[in-house]
Amino acid sequence: MSPRSEGSVSNRSNPRGLRGLALVAMMIPVLAGCTAGPSTRPAIVQNDGPAPQAPPEEPSEVPLPPLAEPRASGLSWSDCRAETSARIGTPLPAELSFSCGRVITTMDAPDLPRRGVARISLLKVGDGPIPLAVLNDVDREPGSLYAVRIAQQLPPEVLERFSLIGVDRRGTGQSDAVDCVPEHIREQLLGYDPAATEAGPLLDAARKAGQQCTIGLENGQTAYDSWRTAADLDEIRAQLGMDHLHAIGHGEGSRVLTAYANRYPGRVGRMVLDGIPDPSPNTASVLADIATGTLSTLDAFGEDCADRDCGLGDARKAVTALSEQLSTAPLRTPNGTRMGPALALHAVRIGLGQRERWPDLATAITAARGGDAAGLATFVAPLLRDTPLHTPRLDGALATICNDMATRLPENRIDQALQDAAAKQPLFGTLLAQRLAWCSPWPVRTDPVPEAGARDAPPIMVVSTATDPVTPEKGTIRAAEQMPSAVRIAWQGAGHGALASSCVLAATAEFLVEGTVPSEGTLCPA
């Protein structure tokens, strides 16, 4: 498989007995009687927390499906260790195998139903007999690379039972990645002054991005969404020879799995949703909550930094000072991109979501305050830059997020949202509220927005993280409350997603391998 799919669309070449109350993740002592002999798993403690809200109606109880090995698969796999190592930028574990495959699905744009072709790239990690699909946030690493990372975190019993199938969602990674926004327009979208409370120039950039994607994607522009990606997953399930789809969804990738559970409830297998986006239709309010989650994560990052004696000092003050410094004296990244306050804050947000990179983030912030933007540039470059191995992630994210969004606001409402954000949370508030403008010129969604969850699905394990800069716990809880089959555990840690927690990993292994559903409201310590 080539580093870039030959079908890439480019602007240059013409893109839940068992009930769940709150969706995203934390955990309790429920795993103790699940295995024979003394347990060696980390302690799981139950803490006081808000009582879960019961669903409005008594849902039907569907048992968790048993694990069954697949029938004959129609997929062809080829070794791609070297290519995958190059893409992820690190050596791969010698004990794991890495092979690539591809599934052809229907593009199925709203105005051209059941027509067009979408090529979905897959990466199989390990040799476990049962496939376990892995999906990531649309604006972060594609599912194939995320699968490589979590393969190195999951307990051995998971990899003995399952092989991870990393899915590059339509329009991302090597699945005909969307590449339709000119680079200078990406820089305008990501670099717009976070102190600005008028959206006019930002809307102009968004219109240009939308126009270029209309040209580059043609009739497929509105086909990049979670509902249709769920159909891709069902085609993958069928070609893998499985009756049920077993999967892990991370962050916004969990939205695709909730769409799958709503669309194909009888085919839902063992699913773990590690952080679910807030399903509220009030996008401005959702973005404000994300800004609050980002600020709380920054504080947690600062505490971690102080514990390591990283020399950054008060993280909130340091980032605020950096933003003010760059507003008057912007830097240049090694490839010449202007690093102003907005791009720096985007880099910080991305870094806050990658807890394993917090030491690197601290170093990058300190370096930027001293005039060197190279470290911060490494966090934000994947959104912006086209390389021989990767297309920019902003384009596919823009298409998917805008197609999933049902509302569009006029300029005066966006201005008001920016003003409100500036008054309530000036550091990250306006930066997040700007996304209201990104989708304003995008075609308005014509299909109904899918419900958050399916009444006839088996138990779905939802994990929330107390301090998450991408999918805040408040939103995950709201999403879980709308999913009758959701069973939520909560991690009291910080960062984007909870698979860094040994407690959550233990619960995940028990759920996936043994079929042990955790108790609702379980809490995992930080």
Side-chain angles (χ1 to χ4, degrees):
M1 188 166 68
S2 63
R4 177 80 60 78
S5 166
E6 66 270 18
S8 291
V9 179
S10 169
N11 60 296
R12 298 182 295 272
S13 61
N14 182 22
R16 194 171 355 186
L18 307 157
R19 261 193 312 207
L21 310 170
L23 190 61
V24 154
M26 297 176 170
M27 187 161 154
I28 94 178
V30 54
L31 307 176
C34 300
T35 57
S39 173
T40 59
R41 300 200 179 283
I44 301 171
V45 301
Q46 183 169 11
N47 302 312
D48 294 333
Q53 303 291 318
E57 298 177 18
E58 187 68 27
S60 59
E61 293 186 359
V62 179
L64 198 66
L67 292 180
E69 295 191 11
R71 303 178 301 276
S73 172
L75 285 174
S76 297
W77 300 97
S78 60
D79 178 85
C80 57
R81 172 180 288 272
E83 175 191 340
T84 303
S85 180
R87 290 177 62 212
I88 203 166
T90 59
L92 301 177
E95 69 275 11
L96 292 175
S97 63
F98 299 86
S99 51
C100 293
R102 175 170 286 185
V103 167
I104 306 299
T105 71
T106 304
M107 183 64 77
D108 194 34
D111 54 344
L112 293 173
R114 297 178 296 281
R115 293 177 61 183
V117 171
R119 290 171 281 267
I120 308 302
S121 183
L122 309 175
L123 175 65
K124 181 180 180 181
V125 183
D127 298 309
I130 300 175
L132 178 70
V134 175
L135 293 93
N136 199 15
D137 302 87
V138 72
D139 60 347
R140 301 199 174 220
E141 279 188 326
S144 56
L145 300 186
Y146 182 65
V148 176
R149 297 201 188 278
I150 66 169
Q152 300 174 69
Q153 298 175 286
L154 291 171
E157 57 265 38
V158 175
L159 294 177
E160 290 169 2
R161 200 75 175 99
F162 297 92
S163 55
L164 305 188
I165 309 296
V167 181
D168 286 2
R169 298 161 55 174
R170 57 169 60 194
T172 73
Q174 296 190 325
S175 294
D176 296 351
V178 174
D179 185 0
C180 58
V181 181
E183 187 172 300
H184 71 282
I185 300 297
R186 294 188 201 110
E187 293 180 9
Q188 291 175 28
L189 292 174
L190 289 170
Y192 191 69
D193 184 1
T197 55
E198 294 183 356
L202 181 59
L203 280 168
D204 287 340
R207 290 188 189 102
K208 293 173 184 176
Q211 289 166 358
Q212 290 300 312
C213 289
T214 297
I215 295 170
L217 300 176
E218 298 179 332
N219 294 326
Q221 183 180 11
T222 53
Y224 298 91
D225 64 8
S226 297
W227 184 257
R228 288 166 180 81
T229 302
D232 296 340
L233 291 183
D234 199 54
E235 180 63 29
I236 292 168
R237 174 202 60 78
Q239 293 201 30
L240 287 169
M242 297 295 293
D243 293 327
H244 298 90
L245 179 72
H246 310 296
I248 293 176
H250 179 226
E252 186 269 341
S254 297
R255 193 199 306 273
V256 178
L257 295 184
T258 61
Y260 187 93
N262 184 53
R263 192 169 181 177
Y264 310 105
R267 301 173 192 170
V268 173
R270 302 183 182 185
M271 289 188 174
V272 177
L273 311 184
D274 185 14
I276 307 176
D278 193 329
S280 171
N282 187 336
T283 306
S285 177
V286 171
L287 292 171
D289 287 343
I290 295 174
T292 299
T294 302
L295 192 62
S296 297
T297 310
L298 178 62
D299 292 339
F301 160 76
E303 294 173 4
D304 176 82
C305 193
D307 289 343
R308 292 184 288 102
D309 194 21
C310 70
L312 186 63
D314 186 300
R316 188 184 295 200
K317 290 182 179 179
V319 172
T320 300
L322 175 62
S323 177
E324 293 171 349
Q325 171 185 327
L326 294 177
S327 67
T328 58
L331 301 175
R332 291 286 172 179
T333 68
N335 59 17
T337 300
R338 179 184 182 276
M339 177 68 76
L343 201 61
L345 290 175
H346 280 296
V348 170
R349 281 202 72 246
I350 292 168
L352 290 175
Q354 301 174 318
R355 182 159 187 151
E356 72 281 2
R357 295 185 66 188
W358 281 9
D360 295 337
L361 179 61
T363 300
I365 294 170
T366 300
R369 294 191 67 186
D372 182 0
L376 283 181
T378 62
F379 289 93
V380 76
L383 286 172
L384 286 167
R385 297 294 176 193
D386 196 355
T387 73
L389 294 177
H390 305 284
T391 52
R393 296 174 187 165
L394 181 64
D395 301 29
L398 186 68
T400 301
I401 292 169
C402 292
N403 285 330
D404 277 345
M405 189 184 299
T407 59
R408 301 289 185 268
L409 297 181
E411 183 172 346
N412 65 323
R413 292 277 303 280
I414 298 174
D415 287 347
Q416 186 61 57
L418 291 173
Q419 294 164 21
D420 292 344
K424 295 176 181 177
Q425 215 263 66
L427 188 56
F428 295 108
T430 54
L431 189 80
L432 271 300
Q434 288 174 6
R435 296 188 181 188
L436 296 168
W438 289 8
C439 295
S440 184
W442 203 264
V444 178
R445 183 186 182 99
T446 57
D447 330 43
V449 177
E451 296 179 1
R455 183 157 300 277
D456 297 323
I460 295 174
M461 178 174 158
V462 174
V463 185
S464 61
T465 298
T467 307
D468 191 315
V470 181
T471 49
E473 186 170 53
K474 179 180 178 180
T476 295
I477 290 174
R478 185 178 288 118
E481 287 175 340
Q482 297 182 26
M483 297 176 65
S485 67
V487 178
R488 184 177 70 93
I489 68 173
W491 180 45
Q492 296 176 298
H496 179 40
L499 291 185
S501 160
S502 58
C503 171
V504 172
L505 286 171
T508 298
E510 294 288 354
F511 179 75
L512 291 174
V513 178
E514 304 295 340
T516 302
V517 180
S519 297
E520 172 65 37
T522 296
L523 297 181
C524 276

